[in-house]
Structures are given as C-alpha cells and as structure tokens.
Amino acid sequence: MTKDELSALYHGYIACLNAQDWQNLGNFVHEDAHYNGKRIGLSGYRTMLEGDFRAIPDLRFTIDFLMADPPRIASRLLFDCTPVGELFGLPVNGRKVAFSENVFYEFQDGRIRNVWSVIDKAAIAAQL
C-alpha cells in the first residue's frame, strides 16, 4: 500500500468513526486489533468506541496532521467536546473541553492491527 492509499484509508476510518458507522468498522479495523499493547479484537475496539460516544455525545475526530510510512500512520487528532461525566478520571461533568491525542497505527492486510494512543489529559485538567 502506498502512502497516499494508506492516508486515504485512514481518512475513511475517521469518517466511519464520526458517522458512528459501526457495521463498517471491520473494513478498517482488524479482527485481532490491539490497543496500547492489549489485544481487544474488533469487538472490543467497537465497544470502546461506543463507550466513548456515550460519554461524549458530541465527539468528533478531527485530523490535525498525519504522516504515513506504510504500514504505519502517525496522527494528531483534535477534540473540542462536552463529556457528560468523568473523562479519563477527570470530573468534566458537562463542561466543554479541548484536547489532543497523538496516536500511532500499524496496518495489516489493509486494516488497523495495532494502536498506540497518548491523550493530553493535562490539557483537560487545565480547563477544569
């Protein structure tokens, strides 16, 4: 897969998340998906995302920048949202917060197999 193809696939994945199109998540995420070193599989990945959208009803993934080096993608995602309760152990409780996530993906067979995510929790805490 070329850099352009991988980038286009990633943009499709982000669109899938923003549409909450869970039936098509398997087109982008491998059945044997791992998140921060833990095997969660496609079903666990979907459960995690569904939980994110329950906790943050106005959640939207915005790509700030991305770099493709097949089979890997590095991306900085931006969030400007209103979580309903706690977020990452912080008492947000309906306040609007903005933060970023630095995330790295490794693709296998055209789908995300490994994800390593670092969320800027300090930025959230500073807004509370």
Side-chain angles (χ1 to χ4, degrees):
M1 188 173 297
T2 68
K3 289 180 180 187
D4 288 342
E5 290 168 337
L6 189 59
S7 295
L9 181 62
Y10 183 73
H11 279 273
Y13 162 71
I14 293 297
C16 178
L17 299 186
N18 286 332
Q20 298 180 55
D21 184 6
W22 308 132
Q23 291 190 16
N24 285 310
L25 188 62
N27 293 331
F28 302 99
V29 178
H30 199 279
E31 292 90 1
D32 191 36
H34 291 71
Y35 185 83
N36 285 343
K38 180 181 176 190
R39 186 195 181 284
I40 61 173
L42 174 58
S43 64
Y45 202 91
R46 177 177 173 166
T47 298
M48 175 184 68
L49 289 166
E50 288 173 335
D52 291 343
F53 277 93
R54 276 192 303 278
I56 312 168
D58 62 347
L59 181 61
R60 179 152 183 85
F61 293 75
T62 302
I63 300 169
D64 185 26
F65 61 80
L66 84 101
M67 299 175 71
D69 185 14
R72 294 178 190 89
I73 287 264
S75 180
R76 181 171 192 258
L77 299 171
L78 301 178
F79 302 93
D80 188 3
C81 56
T82 314
V84 295
E86 280 194 4
L87 181 65
F88 313 120
L90 299 168
V92 178
N93 300 323
R95 286 178 273 191
K96 193 164 193 66
V97 294
F99 62 96
S100 64
E101 175 184 18
N102 296 310
V103 62
F104 303 87
Y105 304 85
E106 185 173 55
F107 286 72
Q108 180 181 329
D109 303 324
R111 293 180 290 161
I112 296 166
R113 172 90 189 281
N114 291 295
V115 179
W116 298 275
S117 166
V118 179
I119 294 171
D120 188 356
K121 296 177 189 176
I124 299 167
Q127 296 168 69
L128 301 181

